Amino acid sequence: MTNDATKSAMTRRELLETIGKAAGSSVVLAPLVRTVFAIPDAMAAGAAPLNGVAGVDRIAMLRGKTYLNGWAGYGDPPRRQPPRRGEPGPPQLPEPPGPPPTVTWSKQSGPGAVTFADPRAPVTTATFSAPGAYVLKLTVANGQTTVSSQLNVTVELPPPAGHLDPVATKPYEIDSRLWNSRAKALIVSWIPHCIDQINRTDLTQGPGGIDNFIEAAKALAGQPHGNHKGYVFSNAWVHQTVEAMSIALMIDPKGDAEIIAAQAKMKATLDDWIPKILAAQEPDGYLQTAFTLDRPPRRDSTTGREIPVESSKFKHWDPPHRGDHEGYTAGYFLESAINHYTMTGGKDARLYNAAKKLADCWYDHIGPAPKQEWFDGHQEMEQALVRFGRFVNETEGNGKGQKYIQLAKFLFDCRKGGTEYDQSHLPVVQQYEAVGHAVRAVYTYSGMTDIAIETGDSDYQAAARSLWDSIVNRKYYVTGGVGSGESSEGFGPDYSLRNRAYCESCSSCGEIFFQWKMNLLYRDATYADLYEETLYNGLLGSLDHEGRNFYYDNPLDANVPRYPWHSCPCCVGNISRTLLMLPTWMYARSADGIYVNLFIGSTVTVENVAGTDVQLVQATDYPWNGKVSITVNPKTSKRFAIRIRVPNRNVSALYKGTPESGGIASVAVNGSVMKPAIEHGYAVIARTWKAGDRIDFTLPLQVQRVRANEKIAADKDRVALRYGPLVYNIEQVDQDIAKALGPSSALRAEWNANLLGGVMVIRGTFADGSPLMAIPNHARYNRNPPLPPPPPAPAPPPGGGRAARPAPPPPTSIVWIREA
Ligand SMILES: [Zn+2]
């Protein structure tokens, strides 16, 4: 055995010891096998075959590198997943059955040269001399046997220089049948309901609202006080509701008495809550009430035994407490402060100053030595720090916010040595497959895209693009939702997209953030095509029509109604703040103009375009009707470009809608028809704009049949219906949803003013001739009769353990219709 072979080979025992120690980045496990520290029987018997795994497909940037995390050994490579509670850690292994293997990397095909940093090391890097598709090969040999494994790398040009700038949500008006009704449900029902719930002190499900702040303030003042209530991150729904109220207060009520009354309640609530929140901030700026108060006794879910009160003497940023959501709650606080400050026009800086104090507290403790390393179990602080850093730069100038952006990157760069569940199994820049908890994942990828935007780092660019590709082309639902739920609240393997999906509302929010930032990075409409899909389906459908109930998870096979509250303090505020931030999703800004990403009847001002502010008045009934008119009102006449997104409904390789429906038609400026150039998915209209100039165009909308890639077993012989960005459901309340649609049945869109406040339905006939009616996915489950009470819980089996779960009720509202 040569020295090289010694260096590059790793025995199975060493490998598992490495996992057990949760070591750093030097050893990386190819994520291909689902076993959790399991030794296949054949392996234990000494019969496991020689194996080599080259890694997952990915995208690399020209002039950047890709990280090769090959694996060589016997049997299956292990996968870094957390052991389940009560399960033992890594097992002791017998010595491997064969001699240590050697590895060799080589190029199998591709248009340019490939340079491996060390072609004899399983863990190394490769760089490429030309863009295009490459196949790399990992050859593994032990002197008797040789095996090999392939890896596809697509090498792309890096994103264009000069990213887009976000458009902050500031006071705006909505003039849209769909969006006025959705915003009103949020403003008059959902947000006031959240306020009431958070003010309550008697909740048994999902407790821990403003009372935690009140008690923490008492603790800080040395007064008698209660324990912390609810999850360690229960501060999240307070911060997110503050943010949602701040945004809701920026929406013009246009004389609607109910909206005006709800906004008055929000103002009064902010007046009440803000001093309470500020009083719970520790003198050094730290803010999380679960660290200021004692935590309540808990019950172990397996043994039923009571776990005593935990002391409040938790160290901040202590690795055994990565799961305590310190960055998660801190991040939402920073984000709430941005929108509150903006809503007050910069007049009330109380939350902004407190947020700076909190961000500074993090900055003073977390960083390169002598400060400490840190990463959180639940990502959010990273993207919040970038958003906050940009906001501080804008508000105070002189690059004063840069340090927060640097801290965000430092938090990401610390992330390694853990498990796939929270995306710490590898350094983030070496992650090319979307894995683990879906919300944590998309928050990571969203924050990584921020770092790619802010730094131009090619490792971050390549990882963000690869993760995007992994989701959109292999792990993405037709509703724009993510997370099949096959791993804990998370992603499953490629193409494994069961329709009893997880698709948490927060993962839809995170998916929107991720796609939106990719749009800013690439200046390409593709990403806005995708977040429009998630916004109109995955996210909009999380609330009921009245705004009184919500879904935590959004399976495509729906079988339960929405509910008013939940034990987990995440989605309830995230849904409203994300849905109401419409101007940010609608527009982006470049040095030379405005990008129009969404079509919603509204009046929004985009500031600082070619040296002037531009009011944009969209008149449209989209998505019910494809006619759009945009009146452009610059404060002073200026030359700039307006780029209008040309919808492409077939971005994901997983789904194909027919007939083609997308594109843009009959574009006219001030009544004169023109043929704009199309660049990166945008129709470009560059001219000197003066107040009152008008662009008219049509976005063709028609009913599409969508079929899934044959690799998605769950959708085999099924078809989904789509109209514009809207995916449709058929519901048992209207028809027998087990029936099949014939391939040639005519389908038509029809306006129904009396259904669900006015909605475009799709009508057709099933193969047996009976009528079919489909409603938009976001409007699903608003008319279904209440379910019968659930059967009593089955008794636990004798001898302890958990009782078997009752079978879930069958779906009564579905996206994928059987096709005859
Ligand atoms: Zn959530």
Side-chain angles (χ1 to χ4, degrees), residues 296-301 303-309:
R298 290 183 295 128
R299 243 173 231 294
D300 185 293
S301 60
T303 63
R305 266 190 235 116
E306 189 167 284
I307 303 168
V309 174

Side-chain angles (χ1 to χ4, degrees), residues 52-182:
V53 178
V56 296
D57 297 355
R58 79 281 306 270
I59 292 170
M61 295 295 139
L62 188 66
R63 296 186 288 280
K65 56 187 174 300
T66 197
Y67 291 89
L68 298 171
N69 293 312
W71 180 83
Y74 294 87
D76 295 331
R79 196 173 172 125
R80 269 200 192 148
Q81 288 177 337
R84 289 180 186 280
R85 193 180 298 182
E87 279 183 4
Q92 283 297 310
L93 286 183
E95 279 301 327
T102 61
V103 307
T104 312
W105 287 100
S106 58
K107 170 186 147 183
Q108 182 148 318
S109 64
V114 182
T115 307
F116 296 96
D118 181 355
R120 307 276 289 165
V123 177
T124 186
T125 60
T127 50
F128 304 83
S129 70
Y134 292 75
V135 179
L136 307 185
K137 190 162 105 176
L138 178 73
T139 305
V140 175
N142 66 1
Q144 297 150 6
T145 314
T146 301
V147 294
S148 67
S149 165
Q150 288 180 349
L151 164 64
N152 298 308
V153 184
T154 306
V155 178
E156 293 182 348
L157 295 176
H163 55 83
L164 298 180
D165 287 323
V167 168
T169 293
K170 294 195 173 175
Y172 74 104
E173 248 181 74
I174 308 174
D175 301 284
S176 153
R177 275 197 286 185
L178 174 65
W179 283 99
N180 279 114
S181 130
R182 297 303 79 223

Side-chain angles (χ1 to χ4, degrees), residues 328 439 504-507 552 568 570-572 574:
Y328 183 82
V439 181
E504 183 179 332
S505 300
C506 285
S507 66
Y552 180 83
C568 189
C570 56
C571 304
V572 298
N574 214 2

